[in-house]
Amino acid sequence: YKPNREDIKYLRVLLYGPVGAGRSSFINSASNVLRGRMTSPALVCDAVASQNFTRKYETHKFIKGRGSSKTFYPLVFNDIMGMEDGTNRGIHPDDIKLALRGHVKEGYKFNPVAPLTQDDPGYNPSPSADDKVHVLVCVMSANSSLIKSSVLEKMKSIRETASDLGIPQMLIMTHIDAACNETWKDLRNVYKSKYLRKKMKDFSSAVGIPMNCIFPVKNYSEEINLNDDIDALILSALRKMVDFGDDFIERI
């Protein structure tokens, strides 16, 4: 795959969602699949799921080839601070809206109390087509309890902005093995699980993303080697990100 526009080098995917949903772990898992070995481009904290570990706006590229032939896949992920319940906690929704338009510079450190302003050094006043987000992906944990109403309101606000911009949206449902015992026994049971299907319907109703845009995945966590069943689900989600993002790039 290669974006069919000279001014766009990378298809940019922005991941957002509640704290501990597995955004950084998904980036690492995608990197594992693309590079064919275990990798860890995004730092992950597994100690306390309720803590925000990602605090900066960071672009993750995936290396293709080695040595003099080393290049990058034309797909990049942007990771951001997680969303939290209440005000002045977690990423401010306005920062995500600015990121969608390409106004957030690489390395900007998020401030839950005050969103990025035009006077801030981290503000990009004239974003290129390459800086803008081409796919918005919500990451939710299948093993989570009910989503807090304040978090849902923030997500709704972000989704409305993305819709106004015409940006395609998807949802990645993580931790499917922890949420369903049958899927834990055999990952191939994922689409047979009544519990996971109900969870997908619940997310669809709560967040407003259609069922056919919700993809269950298992991130690499305890494994030390690659697994075909894990890879298949991740590749399915990646394929749709590329398809949706490419359609958007064709339109803008």
Side-chain angles (χ1 to χ4, degrees), residues 190-201:
V190 56
Y191 284 105
K192 299 176 185 175
S193 169
K194 291 180 181 178
Y195 177 81
L196 292 180
R197 181 169 176 79
K198 182 182 183 303
K199 202 73 179 178
M200 289 169 70
K201 284 185 175 180

Side-chain angles (χ1 to χ4, degrees), residues 167 186 226 237:
I167 298 171
D186 185 350
L226 296 187

Side-chain angles (χ1 to χ4, degrees), residues 31-172:
S31 175
N32 293 346
V33 179
L34 293 175
R35 299 196 64 188
R37 65 175 178 83
M38 303 304 284
T39 63
S40 58
L43 295 177
V44 177
C45 178
D46 200 31
V48 184
S50 61
Q51 287 187 345
N52 243 314
F53 196 64
T54 303
R55 298 186 180 276
K56 293 192 301 182
Y57 191 66
E58 189 172 2
T59 301
H60 295 277
K61 299 178 182 179
F62 305 110
I63 295 172
K64 184 180 183 181
R66 298 185 68 183
S68 58
S69 63
K70 185 176 76 172
T71 55
F72 293 96
Y73 282 97
L75 172 74
V76 298
F77 284 108
N78 275 103
D79 197 9
I80 56 174
M81 194 177 199
M83 307 181 81
E84 295 187 47
D85 183 30
T87 56
N88 299 335
R89 295 186 63 189
I91 189 167
H92 197 289
D94 288 351
D95 280 342
I96 301 181
K97 295 174 186 178
L98 288 173
L100 292 175
R101 297 183 172 93
H103 287 301
V104 182
K105 286 185 179 179
E106 181 77 6
Y108 168 69
K109 192 171 182 180
F110 296 106
N111 181 354
V113 179
L116 181 65
T117 65
Q118 295 184 16
D119 300 325
D120 196 292
Y123 185 86
N124 179 8
S126 51
S128 66
D130 221 9
D131 295 326
K132 297 176 182 178
V133 171
H134 308 125
V135 185
L136 178 64
V137 177
C138 178
V139 182
M140 305 285 287
S141 171
N143 205 30
S144 64
S145 54
L146 289 173
I147 313 166
K148 301 289 186 181
S149 59
S150 67
V151 174
L152 278 177
E153 283 301 312
K154 293 174 185 177
M155 294 172 74
K156 182 182 177 183
S157 173
I158 293 158
R159 273 184 40 74
E160 287 175 352
T161 298
S163 296
D164 290 343
L165 295 170
I167 298 171
Q169 301 173 49
M170 293 172 48
L171 189 147
I172 298 294

Side-chain angles (χ1 to χ4, degrees), residues 1 11-15 23 26-27 30 34 62 74-78 134-139 167-173 212-213 215 217 219 233-249:
Y1 169 74
L11 191 154
R12 188 175 300 277
V13 177
L14 178 64
L15 304 176
R23 297 178 319 281
F26 179 76
I27 291 172
L34 293 175
F62 305 110
L75 172 74
V76 298
F77 284 108
N78 275 103
H134 308 125
V135 185
L136 178 64
V137 177
C138 178
V139 182
I167 298 171
Q169 301 173 49
M170 293 172 48
L171 189 147
I172 298 294
M173 186 172 75
N212 62 357
C213 294
F215 295 86
V217 301
N219 288 331
L233 294 174
I234 293 168
L235 283 168
S236 176
L238 287 176
R239 178 74 260 177
K240 288 300 180 289
M241 288 177 198
V242 170
D243 289 344
F244 294 167
D246 192 57
D247 289 344
F248 176 66
I249 287 172

Side-chain angles (χ1 to χ4, degrees), residues 183-224:
T183 306
W184 176 77
K185 291 176 183 175
D186 185 350
L187 207 53
R188 298 185 186 193
N189 289 327
V190 56
Y191 284 105
K192 299 176 185 175
S193 169
K194 291 180 181 178
Y195 177 81
L196 292 180
R197 181 169 176 79
K198 182 182 183 303
K199 202 73 179 178
M200 289 169 70
K201 284 185 175 180
D202 290 345
F203 284 153
S204 178
S205 299
V207 183
I209 294 177
M211 285 284 284
N212 62 357
C213 294
I214 298 177
F215 295 86
V217 301
K218 177 193 169 356
N219 288 331
Y220 279 98
S221 53
E222 300 173 358
E223 300 77 13
I224 58 172

